[in-house]
Amino acid sequence: MTKFIVRRLLLAIPTLLGVSFLVFASIRLVPGGPAIALAGELATPEIIEQVNRELGLDQPLLIQYVNYLGRMLRFDLGRSIRSGLPVIEEIQTRLPRTLLLAVVSLTVSSVLGITIGVTAATRPNSLFDGGSMIFALLGVSMPIFWSGLMLMIFFAVLLPQWLTSIGFPTGPILPPTGSGTWQHLVMPVTALAANSMAIQARMTRATMLEVLRQDYIRTARAKGQKERIVVYVHALRNAMLPIVTIIGLQFGTLLGGAVLTETVFSWPGIGRLLVDTIGFRDYPVIQGTVLTISVGFVLTNLFVDILYAYLDPRIKYS
Amino acid sequence: MTASIPTDFTAPKKTFKLPTSVRRLIRNPLAMFGLFIVLTFIFVGIFAEQISPHDYDLSNLSMARKGPSATYVLGNDEIGRDMLSRLFHGARISLTLGVISVGIGLIVGVFMGVVAGYFGGVVDLIVMGIIDIMLAFPSILLAIMFVAFLGGSLQNAMIAIGVLSIPVYTRLVRSSTLSIKEELFVEAARALGANHVTIVLRHILPNVFAPIIVQSTLQMAVAIQAAAALGFLGLGAPPDVPEWGNMLQKGRNFIFSAPHIVLYPGLATMLVVFGFSLLGDGLRDALDPRLNR
Amino acid sequence: MKHTKLLVLVVLLLVSMLAPAVKAQANTLTIASGTDIENTNIHLVTSSPSFSVLEHIYETLFNMTPEGELVPVLAESIEATADNVYVIKLKQGISFTDGTPFNAEAVKANLEYMLDTENGAAFRFLLVVGGEPAQVEVLDEYTVQITTKFPFAPLPAHLSHGAYAMVSPAALAQGKDFLASNAVGTGPFVLSEWKRDEEVVLTRNDAYWGEKPALEKVVFKVVKESGARLVEIQSGTVDVAVRVPPADIPMLQADPNVEIMITPGLRTIYIFFNVTEEPFTDVRVRQAVNYAVDVQAIVDNLFEGAALVSRAPFAPAIFGYSAQEPYARDLEKAKALLAEAGVAEGTTLTLYHPTGRYIQDALVADAVRAQLREVGLNVELQTLEWPQYVPHVRRPKPDNDIQFAMLGWGVPTMDADYALFALFHSSEFPPGFNGAFYSNPEVDALLEKGRSTLDQEERKAAYAEAIRIIWEDAPWLFLYSEIQVTAVRKNVEGFIVHPDESLIATFASKK
């Protein structure tokens, strides 16, 4: 197992190098540098030149990249052009927030998604099955930023209005944006979970249907085991493989893909940091953020693979 | 038997049982509902000009942000243009954008997949290395960065979304190609002196046709949603273009004073994505009897 | 059915009861701001939100009051001892919060920090006259002398700019990295915490030399979405919300707990015509566009009246203002002028505009496009992100082929020199700020006179004449001056919104 992990980690290195070089080169090849963003509309050519010299942007691209790699080996990602703070620090303040959002919404959605999926699979072609699958598909179809806005209108405007009209005067039910308390989590988590839950429910249903037709399930049933145990212990365990894969992939996507939710709810996460700094041409932060997200992505995939090996009965029982 | 799961190819078949699949599709009410949405969407997209009740581009500032009325059924947008006519024209943009970006992904992706799978070795290593790099990053962020760097425009959005759908096709086609090229009938063709192009065109591509159709239908949904996301982040078309995501992005400043500006483009996006997903699922079930229950 | 409804209700009430954890406290003023500060180095930041926050920690020698009056802060007095020499006396007995005394050496260190090209300060140009940086000399412990190459009337006003605030020399010596996240000033508040993209917390400086503020704490909370700021102010989780979207003014006016503050700003939004590019070489075309666009309707309908139709190239509060007759909408006249100038119907033009930089900028560009369509001009919008936008519209000739582009110009010094010279003097062609490539020897002479004459009446006359000529030459599509709309809870008193976009919490208190 260790050998497998080490090999996978080594294989990830060229990929990450590729990502970092592509980002490094592409942000420098497009027009509009950080100097303008830094000095604003008042930037004179002298200031721009000065800022560029300071940032080392006047050197050849390859030299810049080699320098960058050298510093990276010492875990020095440079300093943000905009704030002057170390990139590591910028990322450290954002990453936990994104992780929190990702973990909470994935936990909520997994519990609900798998439950719905299993229930639907045990009653194929029932009203619940059809209804939940249509809702699941609608959930995936909703643009996530849009559902976020709709939640905001609902909790901030419509619901208080309704409550007030029936005699319970109240302000907005939930804080619309920001982070800090659990109330702040409710709306972004709902928006994100509605989306990933739908995918999980569909995936669970499909695999469960397949597993439930297998011989050993019939055997288990014939042995007189309780249906609940058959479904949740025997069948679900074997259906977990693709479900875990999907959850793992979703976690990776949430690492950076939560940017839309983060934008709608002013959630100070890493996706938001990336989008903001792209607008600002804050090269060191863009590079650092992209690298962090890629590493997270690669590690998640590796973790899924390991889990896969662990869960796969063919490996387990051989 | 025609299977759509690439690794399952056991027998070479250039034709697939279209009638059976079509019958299966027709028997699936959800898929037919999806087809209905998709056809409506295509119809609206093509005839946007003819069915729009007003000039979609005519602004009447005194009607800015007004809610639905008898003349303007869905109300007016932030500078007083007719929402309904703009939604219709938005359908045309989404349709074009979807088709072109999926087209880009399909052509490039299939080509890369065939090349990687067919030639193997170093070529395979390089192609899959590129794909791995692309996959080492959430695709929506990839598109955002791409467009942010190149400048926001519809063309760039199309290219970005096209590029991010390349890996799906490459992986799909590569694995099928890998298994098919070892088949006896391919070796036979090769022995008979068929060149690479012929083998690919006559023997390999027809076998991945079904999964590509399914994937492309689903990919349309992905593309339309991604386009809306880019528009929402202000990275799509200029502000006057009635692209749905664009409309959402601008309406977002008025969610309290004029929620209808946000409501309708979002609903439209959802409905169309829903339609393509239903149809895609239906097609997959129809073309893949293994999953037919 | 009834049960479910009740259950839902109970759950919601529970949730809402748990929510007040975030309610504001009595001695803390929380301001929902739209953007985070760039960093804490007041010499190098450029955005008004940054200055708003940092000006509570740092103080300048002089201050421009909201009424446009220059008052001494850290300075005691200023006197011109020769045409080009100013002597500034400083207040005594003030120290920075790190114990460093405030004196003439501190002033010199700060001004020289600003003037040192190595530091790349964006507002360096405020003390650069005729291409040469001002000379700063220490006469005695509390007296500084500033010498400029030419007589320079706006100098005292320029020293009131936030970028010229006084930072502890000991902190300056620690370098950029230190200053980026530490602030050591003389002001009424000290920096206590900065959570990136979340909030900046200031606490009262109990050793402050002046009158101490009533508030113990001021929190600048970053709330990027305007809609979210509204919800926060209405629910009382913040005391002040900046940049209220114009469309939401009616809703807030109906709220008994919230007051709307209307503050005419110092920034004017305009679209400049490149007078060296067809078809805008012809003054008739430029005037036609001015006649074709209904700025009044834009202000009324898109801004709910929260903007001022331009009657000069800058805002009324600024020294030297002289109102002209606005180009009222006249489609027939516009069409006639276009026909005279030989501009065919259906001519395609490209309008560049930024997005998210000014209040509703993209929306206005879209409205202008839609209105020009009515006189047969087919305008294509080009949106660029700010970092790409500025260098693009300010490229020097011959690369510059911009036809017309939207920009805004704020005048923090509240003086016509700042408002006009950089934008209309022929020495300021791109990469300078005269994006229109406007050149009129008469205007040049008047602007030069305005900057080198110390007599205020003469200056006023010169600027009035310059504005009249510019108005007729129409190198711009004159749009409007911004008005800041701020929502404040009714129990807050003494909160000031400065025309220069600063938010001043120093004199505020809560009932």
Side-chain angles (χ1 to χ4, degrees):
Chain A
M1 196 57 137
T2 325
K3 221 169 148 189
F4 167 74
I5 296 174
V6 170
R7 204 169 57 94
R8 283 289 311 263
L9 280 176
L10 286 178
L11 274 175
I13 289 174
T15 308
L16 291 176
L17 275 179
V19 171
S20 76
F21 182 72
L22 276 183
V23 172
F24 193 90
S26 58
I27 54 180
R28 280 168 173 73
L29 292 176
V30 294
I36 286 290
L38 203 56
E41 55 206 347
L42 300 159
T44 59
E46 298 86 67
I47 294 180
I48 293 172
E49 206 174 295
Q50 159 68 22
V51 174
N52 282 342
R53 196 164 351 116
E54 203 170 294
L55 299 171
L57 298 176
D58 52 344
Q59 290 172 350
L61 190 70
L62 266 177
I63 294 187
Q64 288 184 45
Y65 184 63
V66 171
N67 287 341
Y68 176 69
L69 283 185
R71 272 183 279 120
M72 212 163 66
L73 287 178
R74 300 191 300 270
F75 292 100
D76 174 10
L77 293 177
R79 275 172 186 275
S80 160
I81 294 172
R82 179 172 61 158
S83 69
L85 299 174
V87 173
I88 298 260
E89 207 178 303
E90 295 271 13
I91 292 173
Q92 267 170 357
T93 54
R94 307 311 201 293
L95 190 58
R97 305 219 168 280
T98 299
L99 286 178
L100 177 72
L101 202 57
V103 169
V104 173
S105 50
L106 217 51
T107 312
V108 171
S109 70
S110 305
V111 171
L112 291 174
I114 294 176
T115 316
I116 293 174
V118 170
T119 317
T122 48
R123 291 167 217 168
N125 302 324
S126 68
L127 194 64
F128 179 87
D129 182 23
S132 62
M133 284 308 117
I134 290 181
F135 271 107
L137 205 54
L138 276 173
V140 197
S141 307
M142 255 191 289
I144 198 154
F145 46 91
W146 183 74
S147 48
L149 287 175
M150 291 299 120
L151 281 172
M152 229 187 213
I153 295 181
F154 180 74
F155 281 109
V157 183
L158 296 181
L159 196 58
Q161 271 173 8
W162 178 70
L163 286 177
T164 309
S165 72
I166 59 163
F168 297 93
T170 174
I173 306 296
L174 290 165
T177 62
S179 62
T181 67
W182 66 268
Q183 288 104 336
H184 286 104
L185 270 168
V186 178
M187 280 201 267
V189 163
T190 311
L192 282 173
N195 197 288
S196 36
M197 177 178 88
I199 300 172
Q200 288 157 1
R202 282 159 56 79
M203 183 52 105
T204 308
R205 176 182 176 273
T207 26
M208 278 299 280
L209 275 178
E210 203 141 310
V211 171
L212 285 173
R213 279 188 316 207
Q214 303 291 323
D215 288 342
Y216 63 86
I217 295 295
R218 237 171 278 152
T219 318
R221 278 194 183 128
K223 277 194 199 154
Q225 294 225 5
K226 279 202 187 110
E227 182 64 15
R228 187 173 291 227
I229 294 194
V230 172
V231 171
Y232 280 94
V233 178
H234 297 271
L236 187 57
R237 184 190 178 109
N238 288 295
M240 272 322 261
L241 276 176
I243 301 172
V244 164
T245 314
I246 281 287
I247 295 177
L249 289 178
Q250 283 178 337
F251 183 77
T253 312
L254 279 177
L255 275 185
V259 52
L260 292 165
T261 329
E262 290 179 3
T263 304
V264 172
F265 295 105
S266 291
W267 186 269
I270 197 160
R272 181 80 210 221
L273 177 68
L274 180 60
V275 172
D276 282 356
T277 45
I278 286 176
F280 202 85
R281 299 288 184 271
D282 196 339
Y283 297 163
V285 183
I286 301 175
Q287 282 150 210
T289 317
V290 168
L291 202 68
T292 310
I293 295 174
S294 317
V295 169
F297 223 63
V298 169
L299 287 183
T300 315
N301 288 347
L302 177 62
F303 182 72
V304 169
D305 282 357
I306 295 169
L307 210 63
Y308 213 99
Y310 172 75
L311 280 173
D312 192 328
R314 278 167 297 189
I315 294 176
K316 173 102 177 157
Y317 297 122
S318 63
Chain B
M1 184 182 87
T2 308
S4 77
I5 299 294
T7 45
D8 278 2
F9 280 106
T10 46
K13 284 271 166 69
K14 279 184 289 181
T15 56
F16 43 92
K17 294 171 188 158
L18 200 64
T20 334
S21 345
V22 170
R23 245 181 293 129
R24 257 191 233 120
L25 190 66
I26 293 173
R27 261 190 277 122
N28 182 343
L30 282 181
M32 290 323 286
F33 183 55
L35 183 67
F36 170 71
I37 296 177
V38 169
L39 289 178
T40 314
F41 169 64
I42 294 174
F43 174 83
V44 170
I46 293 174
F47 297 104
E49 204 66 61
Q50 287 75 18
I51 58 175
S52 289
H54 298 273
D55 177 352
Y56 81 99
D57 201 21
L58 186 69
S59 129
N60 178 354
L61 287 180
S62 61
M63 290 300 289
R65 302 186 305 277
K66 291 277 190 300
S69 62
T71 339
Y72 302 101
V73 202
L74 294 186
N76 300 73
D77 79 347
E78 66 286 346
I79 65 164
R81 291 172 295 215
D82 179 36
M83 282 291 290
L84 183 62
S85 309
R86 291 184 77 70
L87 279 181
F88 286 166
H89 280 81
R92 169 178 292 183
I93 295 170
S94 292
L95 183 64
T96 322
L97 196 140
V99 169
I100 293 184
S101 57
V102 170
I104 293 174
L106 191 142
I107 292 168
V108 180
V110 168
F111 177 77
M112 282 170 72
V114 166
V115 167
Y118 190 81
F119 294 105
V122 186
V123 181
D124 188 28
L125 218 61
I126 293 173
V127 170
M128 292 324 279
I130 297 173
I131 297 295
D132 276 346
I133 290 177
M134 292 177 68
L135 288 176
F137 211 66
S139 54
I140 183 70
L141 274 192
L142 206 64
I144 289 171
M145 290 178 60
F146 193 90
V147 180
F149 291 149
L150 291 182
S153 73
L154 272 183
Q155 288 94 309
N156 286 345
M158 275 183 227
I159 298 173
I161 297 166
V163 168
L164 70 87
S165 51
I166 291 175
V168 184
Y169 289 105
T170 308
R171 291 190 140 186
L172 191 84
V173 173
R174 174 180 173 268
S175 52
S176 334
T177 311
L178 276 179
S179 50
I180 297 169
K181 79 167 180 189
E182 304 303 332
E183 298 293 338
L184 276 175
F185 72 100
V186 175
E187 294 204 358
R190 206 177 283 144
L192 287 171
N195 63 12
H196 295 323
V197 177
T198 321
I199 293 173
V200 168
L201 285 182
R202 305 251 332 249
H203 301 288
I204 293 182
L205 282 187
N207 274 297
V208 289
F209 190 70
I212 284 179
I213 289 287
V214 172
Q215 195 57 51
S216 300
T217 312
L218 296 172
Q219 208 63 31
M220 278 294 284
V222 174
I224 289 169
Q225 221 172 19
L230 286 178
F232 179 72
L233 289 170
L235 295 169
D240 58 303
V241 176
E243 194 269 320
W244 292 341
N246 210 6
M247 293 167 79
L248 276 170
Q249 191 255 335
K250 288 183 300 161
R252 162 183 172 208
N253 294 323
F254 310 108
I255 56 169
F256 299 120
S257 47
H260 68 276
I261 303 181
V262 174
L263 185 65
Y264 300 126
L267 273 180
T269 311
M270 182 170 98
L271 204 64
V272 170
V273 171
F274 183 60
F276 275 107
S277 309
L278 279 181
L279 182 62
D281 282 358
L283 278 174
R284 177 166 44 206
D285 291 349
L287 293 168
D288 185 355
R290 229 169 41 94
L291 290 175
N292 192 39
R293 289 173 265 272
Chain C
M1 193 59 207
K2 249 188 179 158
H3 279 303
T4 359
K5 239 184 183 171
L6 200 67
L7 191 72
V8 169
L9 199 66
V10 168
V11 169
L12 288 172
L13 283 177
L14 274 178
V15 171
S16 63
M17 271 170 209
L18 286 161
V22 282
K23 274 268 192 280
Q25 287 164 339
N27 270 324
T28 303
L29 188 83
T30 309
I31 301 165
S33 151
T35 345
D36 196 10
I37 59 174
E38 299 150 72
N39 60 58
T40 61
N41 189 344
I42 196 162
H43 288 330
L44 301 186
V45 294
T46 55
S47 68
S48 35
S50 300
F51 284 118
S52 266
V53 173
L54 296 176
E55 281 171 4
H56 288 87
I57 308 171
Y58 290 118
E59 291 174 305
T60 39
L61 294 175
F62 300 94
N63 208 357
M64 190 65 80
T65 65
E67 294 74 36
E69 193 191 339
L70 198 68
V71 294
V73 182
L74 289 175
E76 184 74 52
S77 64
I78 185 162
E79 196 188 343
T81 53
D83 272 357
N84 62 337
V85 181
Y86 281 98
V87 169
I88 303 170
K89 290 244 181 264
L90 305 177
K91 286 206 174 85
Q92 306 192 1
I94 298 172
S95 359
F96 294 95
T97 47
D98 63 353
T100 316
F102 168 73
N103 54 26
E105 286 298 339
V107 174
K108 184 173 157 75
N110 276 286
L111 297 188
E112 283 180 348
Y113 186 94
M114 285 299 293
L115 290 169
D116 186 347
T117 49
E118 279 299 306
N119 293 321
F123 290 97
R124 173 178 183 267
F125 72 95
L126 288 175
L127 279 199
V128 177
V129 180
E132 277 179 30
Q135 295 296 316
V136 186
E137 276 163 84
V138 173
L139 295 188
D140 63 48
E141 188 165 9
Y142 295 105
T143 315
V144 196
Q145 175 180 295
I146 301 178
T147 313
T148 51
K149 189 177 174 192
F150 301 120
F152 192 57
L155 188 116
H158 283 193
L159 286 175
S160 75
H161 193 285
Y164 285 86
M166 294 298 135
V167 178
S168 162
L172 275 186
Q174 299 214 42
K176 262 188 190 177
D177 292 350
F178 177 80
L179 291 171
S181 52
N182 294 277
V184 189
T186 58
F189 289 93
V190 293
L191 177 68
S192 96
E193 199 186 8
W194 175 26
K195 285 193 222 151
R196 296 296 328 260
D197 273 352
E198 276 186 77
E199 58 183 21
V200 185
V201 182
L202 309 179
T203 45
R204 184 165 61 201
N205 173 10
D206 285 317
Y208 182 54
W209 61 272
E211 196 188 320
K212 289 176 195 61
L215 294 170
E216 274 169 22
K217 226 187 203 184
V218 178
V219 179
F220 287 86
K221 184 176 174 191
V222 182
V223 186
K224 292 189 176 166
E225 289 289 310
S226 56
R229 290 199 294 276
L230 294 186
V231 176
E232 300 242 15
I233 188 85
Q234 288 200 297
S235 57
T237 48
V238 302
D239 303 300
V240 178
V242 303
R243 293 184 73 145
V244 171
D248 292 308
I249 295 175
M251 181 176 90
L252 286 185
Q253 273 167 341
D255 189 323
N257 299 314
V258 176
E259 198 154 4
I260 293 274
M261 286 175 80
I262 300 283
T263 318
L266 300 176
R267 182 185 282 136
T268 296
I269 307 298
Y270 61 94
I271 288 175
F272 69 77
F273 303 114
N274 184 341
V275 302
T276 61
E277 286 289 326
E278 291 293 340
F280 294 120
T281 46
D282 192 324
V283 66
R284 287 172 296 192
V285 182
R286 307 198 294 261
Q287 288 176 340
V289 171
N290 270 295
Y291 281 119
V293 174
D294 192 350
V295 184
Q296 191 64 51
I298 290 178
V299 166
D300 289 346
N301 297 303
L302 304 188
F303 285 86
E304 296 284 323
L308 276 178
V309 175
S310 287
R311 304 187 62 153
F314 54 83
I318 292 158
F319 175 84
Y321 181 78
S322 143
Q324 313 295 310
E325 193 51 46
Y327 289 84
R329 190 172 213 215
D330 188 337
L331 288 180
E332 290 319 306
K333 198 163 180 179
K335 280 185 193 156
L337 281 168
L338 286 175
E340 256 178 66
V343 176
E345 197 146 316
T347 300
T348 298
L349 302 168
T350 306
L351 172 62
Y352 280 83
H353 70 96
T355 178
R357 171 68 187 185
Y358 309 115
I359 304 173
Q360 302 192 346
D361 44 13
L363 189 66
V364 172
D366 195 7
V368 166
R369 187 199 66 89
Q371 298 207 319
L372 291 181
R373 188 170 171 257
E374 289 176 51
V375 291
L377 293 176
N378 176 20
V379 177
E380 279 173 9
L381 295 178
Q382 275 284 348
T383 316
L384 286 181
E385 265 191 277
W386 190 245
Q388 284 168 284
Y389 185 73
V390 175
H392 193 79
V393 298
R394 270 183 30 212
R395 277 184 303 181
K397 284 278 174 194
D399 296 335
N400 190 323
D401 57 354
I402 302 285
Q403 286 178 311
F404 55 158
M406 179 191 255
L407 270 178
W409 186 252
V411 187
T413 63
M414 296 180 82
D415 189 277
D417 175 67
Y418 192 113
L420 296 178
F421 196 90
L423 301 174
F424 297 105
H425 195 276
S426 60
S427 65
E428 297 281 341
F429 282 176
F433 303 106
N434 184 354
F437 291 93
Y438 175 68
S439 166
N440 184 329
E442 257 182 287
V443 171
D444 280 0
L446 288 164
L447 295 183
E448 281 156 27
K449 186 178 173 204
R451 105 175 333 198
S452 55
T453 310
L454 295 187
D455 184 295
Q456 297 294 349
E457 281 314 306
E458 267 180 62
R459 294 186 72 214
K460 226 176 195 164
Y463 287 129
E465 180 61 9
I467 291 170
R468 194 190 58 76
I469 301 172
I470 291 169
W471 198 258
E472 230 158 72
D473 280 347
W476 287 3
L477 164 56
F478 301 101
L479 291 174
Y480 51 88
S481 303
E482 288 184 348
I483 287 182
Q484 303 167 64
V485 184
T486 315
V488 182
R489 297 286 293 182
K490 282 248 168 80
N491 64 340
V492 176
E493 276 177 355
F495 187 79
I496 300 172
V497 181
H498 196 286
D500 75 2
E501 297 178 20
S502 297
L503 308 166
I504 304 166
T506 310
F507 314 105
S509 61
K510 280 168 82 175
K511 274 188 290 195

